[in-house]
Amino acid sequence: MTPETLTESEEETRSFLISLPIFDSFNVTELSILAQHMSYVHLQRGEHLFVEGDQGTFMGFVVNGVLEVQKRGDLGENIVLARLTRGSSIGEMALIDKSPRSATVIAKQATTMVTLTDKGFDLLAEKMPTLGIKIIKKIARLLSLNMRRTTSKLADLMQSSH
């Protein structure tokens, strides 16, 4: 497979992936193959990417725009957990465990994303197991970094409440 077989959209996806630090160890061919298994999602301001409790079927990277991650509080109020901008990833757990979404994600302005569905990932991993493993390692790294960040926030909260 040569990179010349990419459509214009896949080439755009690959160019975006090249700019993400998470993929800096991937070569052009690997990124081309990954790009062929991804698709674009366009959200209007106020539109939901997904809602807490939805079945998780994809992960994505923000190409442009702003997403807000919200969690419903005990009193039914929405608590903003994070704002995601260009290069941020969301939904990594969906590719690993296909569990329900743990938060709601809303576009705060028009947003474009590239997404990898669980089916797209499974197809890619079947064709190219080595690339599949490489992607899983990167996703595990993202999840690990998120977990460390959350743990450190939790520790700060616990100290400030004493």
Side-chain angles (χ1 to χ4, degrees):
M1 167 180 291
T2 59
E4 292 79 52
T5 58
L6 295 187
T7 65
E8 198 174 318
S9 163
E10 289 165 348
E11 272 179 39
E12 275 175 38
T13 302
R14 184 185 62 195
S15 297
F16 171 66
L17 295 175
I18 287 171
S19 75
L20 298 176
I22 183 177
F23 295 119
D24 59 10
S25 66
F26 285 55
N27 65 38
V28 172
T29 305
E30 290 171 328
L31 289 173
S32 298
I33 292 161
L34 180 53
Q36 289 176 320
H37 290 81
M38 298 182 91
S39 47
Y40 275 91
V41 171
H42 300 283
L43 298 168
Q44 298 309 311
R45 182 176 179 202
E47 206 175 333
H48 288 73
L49 177 63
F50 51 74
V51 176
E52 191 174 337
D54 281 0
Q55 187 60 43
T57 57
F58 66 90
M59 73 166 294
F61 296 92
V62 179
V63 176
N64 57 49
V66 179
L67 295 176
E68 198 171 80
V69 182
Q70 302 177 347
K71 183 98 177 140
R72 193 165 291 283
D74 294 339
L75 307 170
E77 77 285 21
N78 287 327
I79 300 160
V80 176
L81 300 180
R83 286 175 82 82
L84 306 176
T85 54
R86 182 179 171 84
S88 300
S89 63
I90 187 78
E92 301 89 349
M93 292 190 316
L95 290 193
I96 306 287
D97 65 5
K98 297 176 175 55
S99 60
R101 298 296 189 183
S102 58
T104 295
V105 178
I106 299 170
K108 293 315 273 182
Q109 61 188 53
T111 300
T112 301
M113 300 187 65
V114 290
T115 61
L116 177 61
T117 63
D118 52 356
K119 288 185 182 70
F121 173 76
D122 291 346
L123 279 171
L124 181 155
E126 211 171 282
K127 278 190 259 183
M128 302 204 57
T130 320
L131 181 56
I133 289 167
K134 203 167 175 180
I135 292 166
I136 285 289
K137 280 173 134 175
K138 293 296 183 179
I139 291 170
R141 185 171 154 63
L142 282 175
L143 290 170
S144 174
L145 290 170
N146 289 344
M147 182 63 81
R148 287 179 200 281
R149 222 174 291 131
T150 304
T151 304
S152 131
K153 274 186 195 165
L154 184 61
D156 292 348
L157 280 172
M158 289 172 79
Q159 280 183 334
S160 66
S161 67
H162 288 330

